[in-house]
């Protein structure tokens, strides 16, 4: 083989390795926008078209809203095989988060603002068999948490102020996604970056280009006439933006 051809072969392998290293796009519809009296049907409506179900747990203390807790997560776990992506907007996650892992949540994400020792909670979550996610709200700088990211499987960056669905996406918050993705890539971290809030047909590409690879969408999925179709459309837009980024 000539030097040139050998060089090209090496290049081709490297490109393939790079492509293999990019994690698949995750689409996670938020049940917050579904009919709470029909959650099992809401799960079924997107089965096969999505990767995770995003479950927003709000305690009326960390955020003013109040949603659901362990009994509903337990019922959901029994009702669907779609992995549950639990987003805890609650105080004292050190006390409560591990319970969601024990119920079989695939991923448990808690807020940095609510916790003195996020690394300890991440260790408990992993020991209990779930992935560990760290969330940062609208006004929290990402720089404060870059050093502890190796302890986490996911970083959730709010693209609204946590608490309610149906709010408008804040594009400036994608700077945090860029910072986190650059940090994760340079440190070779295996880190998902999830964006949550106002993700829809007209915003998902910008989030994907910034470096997000997991996308929560409430209104854009459950507000659509065909939630599975809406989820597929979001995935296509994210995949296109990620492959051209
Ligand atoms: C809000 C929740 C979100 C919410 C997003 O604090 O964390 O998951 O469901 O809703 P949309 O997609 O409607 O902005
Ligand atoms: Zn959420």
């Amino acid at each position: 083989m000539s030097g040139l051809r050998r060089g090209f072969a090496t290049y081709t392998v490297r490109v393939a390795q790079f492509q293999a290293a990019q994690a698949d796009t995750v689409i996670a519809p938020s049940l917050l926008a579904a009919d709470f009296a029909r959650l099992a049907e809401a799960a079924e409506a997107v089965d096969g078209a999505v990767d995770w179900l995003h479950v927003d747990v709000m305690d009326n203390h960390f955020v003013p809203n109040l949603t659901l807790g362990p009994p509903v997560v337990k019922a959901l776990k029994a009702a669907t095989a779609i992995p549950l992506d639990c987003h805890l907007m609650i105080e004292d996650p050190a006390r409560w988060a591990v319970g969601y892992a024990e119920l079989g949540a695939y991923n448990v994400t808690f807020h940095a603002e609510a916790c003195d020792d996020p690394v300890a909670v991440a260790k408990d979550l992993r020991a209990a068999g779930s992935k560990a996610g760290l969330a940062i709200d609208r006004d929290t700088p990402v720089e404060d948490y870059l050093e502890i990211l190796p302890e986490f499987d996911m970083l959730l960056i709010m693209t609204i102020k946590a608490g309610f669905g149906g709010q408008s996406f804040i594009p400036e918050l994608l700077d945090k996604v860029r910072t986190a993705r650059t940090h994760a890539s340079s440190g070779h971290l295996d880190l998902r970056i999830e964006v949550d809030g106002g993700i829809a047909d007209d915003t998902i590409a910008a989030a994907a280009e910034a470096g997000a690879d997991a996308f929560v969408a409430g209104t854009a999925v459950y507000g659509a006439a065909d939630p599975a179709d809406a989820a597929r459309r979001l995935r296509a837009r994210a995949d296109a933006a990620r492959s051209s980024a």
Side-chain angles (χ1 to χ4, degrees):
M1 205 191 291
S2 75
L4 190 65
R5 287 193 56 184
R6 200 163 40 239
F8 182 71
T10 308
Y11 170 79
T12 310
V13 168
R14 294 244 166 90
V15 168
Q17 283 169 342
F18 176 76
Q19 287 171 340
Q22 193 184 48
D24 288 343
T25 296
V26 162
I27 301 293
S30 168
L31 290 174
L32 188 63
D35 180 347
F36 268 32
R38 294 190 167 79
L39 290 178
E41 288 164 47
E44 206 183 318
V46 294
D47 204 352
V50 307
D51 306 280
W52 303 342
L53 276 180
H54 186 80
V55 182
D56 288 301
V57 176
M58 305 190 193
D59 66 352
N60 176 233
H61 288 275
F62 180 72
V63 288
N65 205 356
L66 180 67
T67 56
L68 53 85
V72 177
V73 170
K74 187 176 178 190
L76 277 168
K77 178 73 188 161
T80 179
I82 306 174
L84 302 180
D85 174 36
C86 292
H87 175 194
L88 309 186
M89 284 159 277
I90 62 170
E91 286 183 355
D92 206 1
R95 178 171 176 195
W96 300 110
V98 75
Y100 292 86
E102 288 164 356
L103 287 174
Y106 173 76
N107 181 71
V108 180
T109 298
F110 59 94
H111 271 263
E113 304 86 1
C115 190
D116 293 331
D117 190 354
V119 172
V121 179
K123 285 188 179 9
D124 287 350
L125 289 171
R126 285 173 161 181
S130 81
K131 305 274 187 195
L134 184 72
I136 56 170
D137 205 351
R138 182 190 64 188
D139 301 327
T140 302
V142 70
E143 286 78 6
D144 296 356
Y145 297 97
L146 295 177
E147 289 310 312
I148 62 170
L149 291 180
E151 310 291 335
F152 288 87
D153 302 290
M154 185 163 84
L155 175 67
L156 186 166
I157 296 181
M158 294 302 305
T159 38
I160 54 168
K161 170 89 177 145
F164 296 92
Q167 302 180 63
S168 297
F169 179 76
I170 305 171
E172 292 75 20
L173 298 178
L174 293 181
D175 285 346
K176 293 196 239 183
V177 176
R178 285 184 203 97
T179 300
R181 180 53 75 201
T182 301
H183 181 84
S185 300
S186 66
H188 304 287
L189 300 184
D190 185 11
L191 182 77
R192 283 228 172 254
I193 300 181
E194 184 174 64
V195 281
D196 183 5
I199 298 298
D201 282 342
D202 58 345
T203 57
I204 195 166
E209 280 161 14
D213 58 11
F215 304 88
V216 177
T219 310
V221 170
Y222 285 112
D226 182 340
D229 196 50
R232 281 188 211 101
R233 213 169 49 234
L234 288 170
R235 185 190 306 283
R237 288 177 191 255
D239 280 345
R242 292 182 69 209
S243 63
S244 67

